[in-house]
């Protein structure tokens, strides 16, 4: 209620927590880990969300960060935990009356490696193409869990593919993606689309443009380029579906510089 009295925002992002032994509240943004989570641990968080009863701030999201990113894509046990984390956070967002999940792939904490092929534990045994195939599989597993819990969710991303746009003109996208920080991200999202999640809306938040855009023309150019070209990161079979579900959410940083 206090937040809504400001009268300037449609919503916000919320950090999920779970209650562990001793009543301690533990941050659960960092979903890309093998740490065991139980649905019962989210009872207090769910009660808080249900009690909030927003009137105007309805575009509110639960944070899901791709950190610590210490689970290799070929680690079956580790990925069962990650998929379960997505499932529980999607359930919490749905039952808590939120719009969806705020997915952030940026590597904030060590080992800074989830989507970077050169940092993967099995890189000496598996090629980049093999890692892309495995990342696509993991994307399917994650999206199936999300759809089962929250079939009409919005997945809002600060930066999905926008940082990678220059690579589309490289002449060899796979080669260009191999060494970069978010190189495995397109394959992961391709897996989302394999599931055909018709009710899911995906928002590209274009974070980087918000640091430097100084005119409507800057935003218009960014929107047009992203709307037309972002589907090129996905396999041909998924591009039309992705384009239908994609929205562009322009960023504005009031205090970036």
């Amino acid at each position: 209620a206090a937040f809504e009295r400001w009268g300037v925002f449609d919503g916000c992002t919320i950090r999920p927590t779970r209650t562990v032994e001793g009543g301690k509240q533990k941050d659960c943004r960092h979903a890309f880990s093998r740490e065991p989570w139980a649905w019962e641990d989210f009872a207090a968080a769910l009660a808080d969300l249900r009690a909030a009863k927003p009137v105007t701030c309805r575009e509110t999201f639960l944070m899901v960060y791709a950190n610590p990113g210490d689970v290799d894509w070929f680690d079956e046990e580790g990925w069962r935990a990650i998929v379960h984390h997505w499932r529980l956070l999607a359930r919490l967002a749905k039952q808590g009356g939120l719009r969806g999940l705020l997915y952030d792939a940026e590597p904030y904490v060590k080992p800074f490696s989830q989507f970077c092929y050169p940092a993967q534990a099995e890189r000496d045994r598996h090629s980049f193409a093999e890692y892309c195939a495995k990342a696509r599989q993991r994307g399917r597993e994650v999206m199936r869990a999300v759809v089962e819990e929250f079939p009409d969710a919005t997945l809002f991303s600060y930066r999905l593919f926008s940082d990678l746009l220059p690579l589309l003109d490289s002449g060899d996208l796979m080669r260009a993606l191999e060494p970069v920080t978010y190189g495995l991200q397109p394959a992961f999202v391709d897996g989302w689309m394999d599931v055909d999640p018709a009710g899911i809306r995906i928002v590209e938040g274009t974070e980087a443009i918000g640091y430097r855009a100084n005119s409507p023309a800057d935003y218009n150019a960014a929107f047009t380029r992203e709307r037309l070209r972002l589907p090129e990161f996905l396999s041909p079979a998924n591009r039309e579906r992705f384009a239908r579900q994609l929205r562009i959410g322009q960023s504005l940083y009031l205090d970036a510089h």
Side-chain angles (χ1 to χ4, degrees):
F3 186 75
E4 289 187 326
R5 280 197 293 270
W6 293 351
V8 294
F9 296 113
D10 294 330
C12 62
T13 57
I14 294 177
R15 181 176 63 196
T17 60
R18 59 191 182 91
T19 305
V20 296
E21 188 175 354
K24 181 180 179 181
Q25 296 291 312
K26 192 164 186 179
D27 188 338
C28 291
R29 286 173 297 175
H30 297 171
F32 282 62
S33 74
R34 53 176 54 82
E35 183 181 37
W37 294 1
W39 173 239
E40 294 75 18
D41 297 343
F42 291 92
L46 179 58
D48 285 342
L49 292 177
R50 285 177 168 172
K53 302 187 185 308
V55 176
T56 58
C57 291
R58 303 293 299 176
E59 299 293 327
T60 295
F61 297 83
L62 202 65
M63 297 176 178
V64 183
Y65 286 6
N67 288 274
D70 57 356
V71 177
D72 188 86
W73 296 88
F74 285 85
D75 183 341
E76 295 295 333
E77 183 178 355
W79 270 93
R80 278 194 293 272
I82 292 175
V83 171
H84 188 58
H85 296 165
W86 275 83
R87 177 181 297 281
L88 295 184
L89 294 178
R91 184 184 301 169
L92 179 61
K94 176 66 173 178
Q95 295 189 17
L98 304 184
R99 182 66 66 195
L101 301 176
L102 187 287
Y103 166 63
D104 189 359
E106 188 165 351
Y108 295 111
V109 299
K110 292 179 180 180
F112 309 116
S113 65
Q114 193 64 72
F115 294 94
C116 183
Y117 170 66
Q120 301 306 307
E122 298 285 330
R123 64 189 179 280
D124 294 334
R125 297 179 54 192
H126 300 285
S127 67
F128 180 62
E130 290 173 324
Y131 261 98
C132 285
K134 186 57 70 172
R136 188 169 176 175
Q137 174 192 328
R138 302 310 185 193
R140 290 193 295 268
E141 294 168 358
V142 161
M143 183 54 72
R144 288 191 190 105
V146 170
V147 169
E148 287 172 6
E149 299 291 341
F150 199 162
D152 57 345
T154 294
L155 296 185
F156 194 111
S157 175
Y158 288 144
R159 55 207 318 162
L160 198 63
F161 298 149
S162 54
D163 293 84
L164 301 173
L165 270 170
L167 303 184
L168 290 175
D169 299 319
S170 65
D172 187 339
L173 181 58
M174 284 290 286
R175 183 182 293 273
L177 286 170
E178 183 171 337
V180 301
T181 300
Y182 300 109
L184 293 168
Q185 174 101 306
F188 184 60
V189 177
D190 218 7
W192 292 0
M193 293 294 101
D194 287 340
V195 176
D196 192 12
I200 300 292
R201 182 170 62 172
I202 298 171
V203 181
E204 165 64 73
T206 64
E207 177 176 339
I209 187 67
Y211 292 120
R212 58 183 183 275
N214 290 308
S215 70
D218 289 339
Y219 284 104
N220 289 340
F223 174 87
T224 301
R225 180 168 170 77
E226 291 166 10
R227 200 73 186 84
L228 293 176
R229 302 210 63 188
L230 290 184
E232 295 178 36
F233 285 105
L234 276 65
S235 59
N238 283 334
R239 289 175 186 174
E240 183 178 350
R241 182 182 302 127
F242 179 71
R244 287 197 305 267
Q245 294 172 233
L246 175 67
R247 302 293 184 271
I248 307 298
Q250 298 285 25
S251 59
L252 174 64
Y253 282 76
L254 298 179
D255 58 353
H257 299 289

